[in-house]
Amino acid sequence: MAIKLGIPSKGRLQEKTFDWFADRGVALRRTGSDREYAGAVDGVDGVELVLLAAGEIPRELAAGRIHLGVTGTDLVREKIPLWSRIVAELALLGFGHADLVLAVPKCWVDVDTLDDLDAAAAQFRANHGFRLRIATKYHNLVRDFLRQNGVADYQLVDSQGATEGTVKNLTAEAIADITSTGDTLFANHLKPLADGLIHASQAALFLSRTAMLDDSDAKALADLQARLGLAAS
């Protein structure tokens, strides 16, 4: 067997992950063409590289099909219930930063905080007979955040793309989405609430607590963690 390390299959996250490991003496590389999801690990024995979509990595970690994975902290928290019991966060990698924020139309001049949103949601339901709609693909994170902050009288509307456009298209009154610069929110005439930061995400290295380890796997994992300067798990 071997330790399976899942990393994003393409894009900036893959490039930055390669750089992070290389800086610590572990070389990750693709093998074959750019269309082949195959790779190799140099610098430590007994570790196999698995290239996956970043959104698939939490699922594979939770199922124990990979031992280690690099993905966003937002995805792990959204996709894995009771995530800290299923995976361990070994290291924050310092890239892939993005904020999951709650945003409302700029024209809502009296809505700047969660308390304002709660009042507006109650008034919206009274006026329209249905709950204020918040478009998002982060249902678990948003629901937990709003419950903790006492916001009621809303409904979540699933949005898997172009979430910022849902308000303009009249399919939602507010949104909760990932933003790096805020430019897309601004372009769509939206503003984040002053206290509406749901989660500050970045790329992290996670360890599956459910993946099986034999003696050789345990040694390979310990060797890799030592090479990366991480405490043994």
Side-chain angles (χ1 to χ4, degrees):
M1 293 180 64
I3 292 296
K4 292 185 177 182
L5 167 63
I7 71 161
S9 57
K10 59 185 177 180
R12 292 284 292 170
L13 274 181
Q14 184 189 90
E15 295 172 12
K16 292 287 190 180
T17 300
F18 277 22
D19 291 343
W20 189 88
F21 277 84
D23 288 344
R24 290 154 181 82
V26 178
L28 309 182
R29 56 186 173 87
R30 296 188 73 118
T31 58
S33 72
D34 288 343
R35 294 182 182 275
E36 293 180 77
Y37 294 104
V41 180
D42 300 323
V44 62
D45 293 331
V47 182
E48 175 185 336
L49 189 63
V50 182
L51 300 178
L52 298 163
E56 296 175 340
I57 291 175
R59 180 192 65 205
E60 298 302 295
L61 286 165
R65 289 188 286 264
I66 60 175
H67 299 83
L68 297 163
V70 172
T71 190
T73 56
D74 59 318
L75 294 177
V76 164
R77 286 158 173 77
E78 173 65 23
K79 293 175 177 287
I80 306 178
L82 302 174
W83 68 272
S84 61
R85 299 183 186 180
I86 308 301
V87 299
E89 191 175 272
L90 295 184
L92 296 173
L93 305 189
F95 57 84
H97 293 281
D99 293 338
L100 176 58
V101 301
L102 197 58
V104 300
K106 286 182 185 177
C107 61
W108 290 12
V109 294
D110 295 328
V111 180
D112 293 308
T113 68
L114 289 167
D115 284 345
D116 297 337
L117 179 65
D118 186 46
Q123 188 61 53
F124 183 92
R125 187 178 186 186
N127 291 345
H128 298 280
F130 63 93
R131 289 184 173 88
L132 182 146
R133 297 165 297 177
I134 301 174
T136 189
K137 62 179 178 180
Y138 294 92
H139 290 238
N140 294 325
L141 281 169
V142 174
R143 189 179 295 109
D144 289 347
F145 178 78
L146 293 176
R147 182 176 62 250
Q148 291 166 12
N149 286 279
V151 178
D153 280 334
Y154 70 89
Q155 59 179 312
L156 297 183
V157 177
D158 191 51
S159 173
Q160 295 300 319
T163 302
E164 292 88 353
T166 56
V167 173
K168 180 179 179 180
N169 294 333
L170 304 179
T171 56
E173 286 69 50
I175 72 161
D177 202 18
I178 285 286
T179 180
S180 296
T181 64
D183 292 346
T184 306
L185 292 177
F186 183 82
N188 285 277
H189 308 290
L190 300 169
K191 62 179 180 180
L193 296 180
D195 52 357
L197 175 61
I198 298 168
H199 178 67
S201 182
Q202 65 174 292
L205 176 62
F206 292 94
L207 170 70
S208 172
R209 299 188 190 276
T210 63
M212 300 296 292
L213 293 171
D214 60 22
D215 290 343
S216 62
D217 292 336
K219 182 181 184 306
L221 177 60
D223 290 346
L224 178 60
Q225 289 185 254
R227 178 62 66 90
L228 298 176
L230 303 175
S233 54

